[in-house]
PDB file of all heavy atoms in Angstrom:
ATOM      1  N   HIS A 190       1.008 -12.986  -5.982  1.00  0.00           N
ATOM      2  CA  HIS A 190       1.917 -11.931  -5.551  1.00  0.00           C
ATOM      3  C   HIS A 190       1.087 -10.784  -5.094  1.00  0.00           C
ATOM      4  O   HIS A 190       0.179 -10.288  -5.799  1.00  0.00           O
ATOM      5  CB  HIS A 190       2.837 -11.472  -6.724  1.00  0.00           C
ATOM      6  CG  HIS A 190       3.602 -10.263  -6.405  1.00  0.00           C
ATOM      7  ND1 HIS A 190       4.762 -10.349  -5.659  1.00  0.00           N
ATOM      8  CD2 HIS A 190       3.452  -8.970  -6.763  1.00  0.00           C
ATOM      9  CE1 HIS A 190       5.283  -9.135  -5.536  1.00  0.00           C
ATOM     10  NE2 HIS A 190       4.499  -8.334  -6.203  1.00  0.00           N
ATOM     11  N   ARG A 191       1.348 -10.270  -3.883  1.00  0.00           N
ATOM     12  CA  ARG A 191       0.578  -9.148  -3.378  1.00  0.00           C
ATOM     13  C   ARG A 191       1.443  -7.929  -3.353  1.00  0.00           C
ATOM     14  O   ARG A 191       2.597  -7.912  -2.955  1.00  0.00           O
ATOM     15  CB  ARG A 191       0.211  -9.440  -1.865  1.00  0.00           C
ATOM     16  CG  ARG A 191      -0.519  -8.289  -1.190  1.00  0.00           C
ATOM     17  CD  ARG A 191      -0.892  -8.640   0.275  1.00  0.00           C
ATOM     18  NE  ARG A 191      -1.592  -7.547   0.936  1.00  0.00           N
ATOM     19  CZ  ARG A 191      -1.059  -6.597   1.577  1.00  0.00           C
ATOM     20  NH1 ARG A 191       0.257  -6.491   1.707  1.00  0.00           N
ATOM     21  NH2 ARG A 191      -1.772  -5.655   2.138  1.00  0.00           N
ATOM     22  N   ALA A 192       0.889  -6.825  -3.903  1.00  0.00           N
ATOM     23  CA  ALA A 192       1.597  -5.501  -3.926  1.00  0.00           C
ATOM     24  C   ALA A 192       0.606  -4.445  -3.564  1.00  0.00           C
ATOM     25  O   ALA A 192      -0.576  -4.508  -3.929  1.00  0.00           O
ATOM     26  CB  ALA A 192       2.199  -5.268  -5.262  1.00  0.00           C
ATOM     27  N   LEU A 193       1.066  -3.435  -2.815  1.00  0.00           N
ATOM     28  CA  LEU A 193       0.259  -2.301  -2.497  1.00  0.00           C
ATOM     29  C   LEU A 193       0.627  -1.158  -3.458  1.00  0.00           C
ATOM     30  O   LEU A 193       1.831  -0.944  -3.650  1.00  0.00           O
ATOM     31  CB  LEU A 193       0.436  -1.822  -1.041  1.00  0.00           C
ATOM     32  CG  LEU A 193      -0.032  -2.755   0.036  1.00  0.00           C
ATOM     33  CD1 LEU A 193       0.361  -2.246   1.418  1.00  0.00           C
ATOM     34  CD2 LEU A 193      -1.515  -2.894  -0.077  1.00  0.00           C
ATOM     35  N   TRP A 194      -0.322  -0.468  -4.005  1.00  0.00           N
ATOM     36  CA  TRP A 194      -0.088   0.637  -4.916  1.00  0.00           C
ATOM     37  C   TRP A 194      -0.911   1.835  -4.400  1.00  0.00           C
ATOM     38  O   TRP A 194      -2.140   1.663  -4.175  1.00  0.00           O
ATOM     39  CB  TRP A 194      -0.491   0.341  -6.336  1.00  0.00           C
ATOM     40  CG  TRP A 194       0.436  -0.640  -6.922  1.00  0.00           C
ATOM     41  CD1 TRP A 194       0.277  -2.018  -6.986  1.00  0.00           C
ATOM     42  CD2 TRP A 194       1.706  -0.326  -7.534  1.00  0.00           C
ATOM     43  NE1 TRP A 194       1.376  -2.592  -7.598  1.00  0.00           N
ATOM     44  CE2 TRP A 194       2.298  -1.623  -7.939  1.00  0.00           C
ATOM     45  CE3 TRP A 194       2.448   0.793  -7.767  1.00  0.00           C
ATOM     46  CZ2 TRP A 194       3.515  -1.696  -8.557  1.00  0.00           C
ATOM     47  CZ3 TRP A 194       3.680   0.738  -8.400  1.00  0.00           C
ATOM     48  CH2 TRP A 194       4.187  -0.513  -8.818  1.00  0.00           C
ATOM     49  N   ALA A 195      -0.309   2.997  -4.226  1.00  0.00           N
ATOM     50  CA  ALA A 195      -1.009   4.169  -3.748  1.00  0.00           C
ATOM     51  C   ALA A 195      -1.587   4.886  -4.956  1.00  0.00           C
ATOM     52  O   ALA A 195      -0.972   5.062  -5.933  1.00  0.00           O
ATOM     53  CB  ALA A 195      -0.033   5.079  -2.984  1.00  0.00           C
ATOM     54  N   ARG A 196      -2.838   5.329  -4.766  1.00  0.00           N
ATOM     55  CA  ARG A 196      -3.513   6.136  -5.738  1.00  0.00           C
ATOM     56  C   ARG A 196      -4.438   7.114  -5.031  1.00  0.00           C
ATOM     57  O   ARG A 196      -4.951   6.763  -3.962  1.00  0.00           O
ATOM     58  CB  ARG A 196      -4.403   5.252  -6.694  1.00  0.00           C
ATOM     59  CG  ARG A 196      -3.575   4.353  -7.576  1.00  0.00           C
ATOM     60  CD  ARG A 196      -4.539   3.583  -8.554  1.00  0.00           C
ATOM     61  NE  ARG A 196      -3.780   2.688  -9.375  1.00  0.00           N
ATOM     62  CZ  ARG A 196      -3.417   1.435  -9.049  1.00  0.00           C
ATOM     63  NH1 ARG A 196      -3.819   0.933  -7.934  1.00  0.00           N
ATOM     64  NH2 ARG A 196      -2.762   0.699  -9.942  1.00  0.00           N
ATOM     65  N   PRO A 197      -4.720   8.246  -5.618  1.00  0.00           N
ATOM     66  CA  PRO A 197      -5.747   9.145  -5.049  1.00  0.00           C
ATOM     67  C   PRO A 197      -7.095   8.374  -4.951  1.00  0.00           C
ATOM     68  O   PRO A 197      -7.456   7.624  -5.842  1.00  0.00           O
ATOM     69  CB  PRO A 197      -5.817  10.308  -6.011  1.00  0.00           C
ATOM     70  CG  PRO A 197      -4.565  10.232  -6.796  1.00  0.00           C
ATOM     71  CD  PRO A 197      -4.142   8.816  -6.883  1.00  0.00           C
TER      72      PRO A 197
END
Side-chain angles (χ1 to χ4, degrees):
H190 173 77
R191 179 182 181 269
L193 292 175
W194 290 95
R196 291 184 181 87

